[in-house]
Amino acid sequence: MHTYSISIIADVIPIDVTMSSPVMNFTLQGESFQNYSSKTLMLTNNSTSIAKYQMNGFSNSIFTVHDTTGLIQPFSSASIQITYKPDTSPHSETFIDISIAGGKNLI
């Protein structure tokens, strides 16, 4: 039996993604006929590699998000639109978990 060894060299690149704001407050204009409000959340990839994200936590129909998953190119940003459309509840609130593959989760 012969034994061979190989050397493995890896360059681990941490993924660093930041978000524009940890809290988003939505308001409806009293004189407007629109019954919804939309805001944009910016995710910025400060890394040299592509960042893959997935958003979880939109279990109700009051808050909707477009592009719950996606890729962010190195040193680029992704614009994610979040819409608030209230129902009859006096207070609406939700928490969103943003998973970043190879990086830390954003909450």
Side-chain angles (χ1 to χ4, degrees):
M1 178 163 133
H2 299 284
T3 303
Y4 297 96
S5 64
I6 61 170
S7 296
I8 299 175
I9 299 173
D11 187 14
V12 178
I13 301 170
I15 303 298
D16 178 28
V17 175
T18 56
M19 61 182 157
S20 56
S21 176
V23 175
M24 298 181 88
N25 294 309
F26 293 86
T27 56
L28 298 176
Q29 300 300 323
E31 59 276 350
S32 174
F33 289 106
Q34 284 184 290
N35 63 344
Y36 66 91
S37 176
S38 294
K39 292 202 174 197
T40 301
L41 175 68
M42 297 294 293
L43 296 180
T44 303
N45 181 1
N46 303 304
S47 309
T48 58
S49 296
I50 295 173
K52 181 179 180 181
Y53 69 89
Q54 179 173 350
M55 300 178 76
N56 301 301
F58 291 95
S59 58
N60 59 41
S61 62
I62 296 171
F63 294 94
T64 55
V65 64
H66 306 279
D67 301 325
T68 56
T69 61
L71 300 174
I72 310 170
Q73 296 300 315
F75 301 108
S76 297
S77 297
S79 300
I80 300 161
Q81 185 179 16
I82 299 173
T83 302
Y84 166 63
K85 187 172 183 179
D87 59 9
T88 57
S89 303
H91 179 77
S92 301
E93 184 176 287
T94 193
F95 292 94
I96 304 165
D97 175 44
I98 305 173
S99 300
I100 307 295
K104 63 180 181 175
N105 286 7
L106 306 174
I107 297 177

